[in-house]
Amino acid sequence: MNFNFLWSRRKLVLFCIDFCIMAVAGLLAFFVADILFGIYLPMSEYYGSVVVLVLCQLAGMVCTRVYDNIWRYAVVTDFFSCVVGIAGGAVLYYALCNVFSVQNSEVIAILTVLISALGIIFARVCYSMLYRFMRARQTASGKKRALIVGAGEA
């Protein structure tokens, strides 16, 4: 496993944004499960399971090499690798819960996975669209880029 991605500020910021999105998704899943399905877990048990689930999802995303891509040029396969990483993290979470006999709610875990996948994909699409919008504005402002052939050899 190569952890050199932590040295790049851009990748570290992306990692932190993903962590925040997944943590918010865990809290939203808790409230949605309580309101819609009547499933209630004590908060003391819930916080630990959400932290483990989020860490497993982040590990899954690192394993699928999500942070190696340049997200301003994202394509559909990059979003698919996000979903595969999150789902792989959820499978790892269930395996850990079964090995250590930890009580968890499947509904809350599934909601967390779905909300975090949608949130991360939404954040990446917004970043890509914002980058394209800013580039279009820059080129429309009258500035033109020029390529000087042979300038590197001078």
Side-chain angles (χ1 to χ4, degrees):
M1 179 81 32
N2 186 6
F3 288 102
N4 288 335
F5 76 93
L6 290 176
W7 294 110
S8 170
R9 276 186 264 154
R10 178 186 56 85
K11 292 178 184 180
L12 184 62
V13 167
L14 252 167
F15 188 81
C16 291
I17 289 171
D18 290 346
F19 179 79
C20 292
I21 289 172
M22 289 179 190
V24 168
L27 290 175
L28 281 174
F30 176 76
F31 292 119
V32 168
D34 187 26
I35 293 169
L36 293 181
F37 301 108
I39 298 172
Y40 179 75
L41 284 177
M43 282 301 243
S44 59
E45 294 177 14
Y46 182 70
Y47 283 136
S49 65
V50 167
V51 169
V52 172
L53 177 59
V54 167
L55 292 176
C56 288
Q57 288 176 342
L58 286 172
M61 290 178 69
V62 168
C63 289
T64 56
R65 304 179 61 88
V66 169
Y67 299 105
D68 291 346
N69 301 331
I70 300 174
W71 280 99
R72 62 179 177 234
Y73 305 118
V75 293
V76 175
T77 55
D78 296 333
F79 299 120
F80 182 70
S81 64
C82 276
V83 173
V84 168
I86 291 171
V91 169
L92 177 64
Y93 169 73
Y94 278 119
L96 288 175
C97 286
N98 287 334
V99 167
F100 295 112
S101 300
V102 176
Q103 180 185 3
N104 64 346
S105 171
E106 288 84 12
V107 173
I108 293 177
I110 290 170
L111 284 173
T112 302
V113 168
L114 290 176
I115 294 171
S116 61
L118 290 175
I120 288 173
I121 289 173
F122 179 75
R124 305 285 167 94
V125 167
C126 286
Y127 174 76
S128 179
M129 289 175 58
L130 180 68
Y131 181 79
R132 288 182 185 150
F133 174 75
M134 296 302 285
R135 293 283 295 164
R137 248 179 99 203
Q138 181 183 11
T139 56
S141 68
K143 295 180 183 176
K144 293 186 178 182
R145 292 183 165 206
L147 174 65
I148 302 172
V149 178
E153 298 174 8

